[in-house]
Amino acid sequence: MQCGHLLEQMPHKKKKKFCSDVCRITWWNHHTNLMQVNAVCAHCGKAFHGRNGCKYCSHQCYIEERFGDNDDSKNVTA
């Protein structure tokens, strides 16, 4: 698909679309618009482009949403 090499398809197997990982990565790097979906981060509300099902714009937002603030000094009551 990317380089023009013929792909040998195996019977009863999922059809190959790329001859190698290099061709697959090259193709997706040049077609990023096909995997982008407009989304809004569930933690900070920032709009971002990600794959379907992504809830957070970054790993940091995921950690903060999942585990909250780990600073115990703020949770001390007198």
Side-chain angles (χ1 to χ4, degrees):
M1 188 173 197
Q2 169 65 26
C3 64
H5 285 116
L6 293 177
L7 298 176
E8 187 176 326
Q9 303 294 343
M10 303 297 289
H12 308 291
K13 298 271 187 174
K14 184 178 174 182
K15 290 187 175 187
K16 290 183 180 182
K17 295 180 182 178
F18 304 98
C19 64
S20 67
D21 286 340
V22 172
C23 282
R24 177 180 53 81
I25 292 167
T26 302
W27 191 87
W28 279 109
N29 284 339
H30 288 91
H31 295 86
T32 56
N33 61 322
L34 297 177
M35 66 178 181
Q36 292 179 345
V37 175
N38 289 330
V40 176
C41 180
H43 179 70
C44 69
K46 175 182 160 187
F48 69 99
H49 295 287
R51 287 176 265 162
N52 282 332
C54 289
K55 291 172 60 176
Y56 305 101
C57 64
S58 66
H59 183 69
Q60 183 66 35
C61 278
Y62 164 73
I63 295 298
E64 290 175 6
E65 182 76 13
R66 174 83 191 266
F67 301 107
D69 189 8
N70 289 334
D71 188 3
D72 293 332
S73 64
K74 292 181 182 177
N75 296 329
V76 175
T77 56

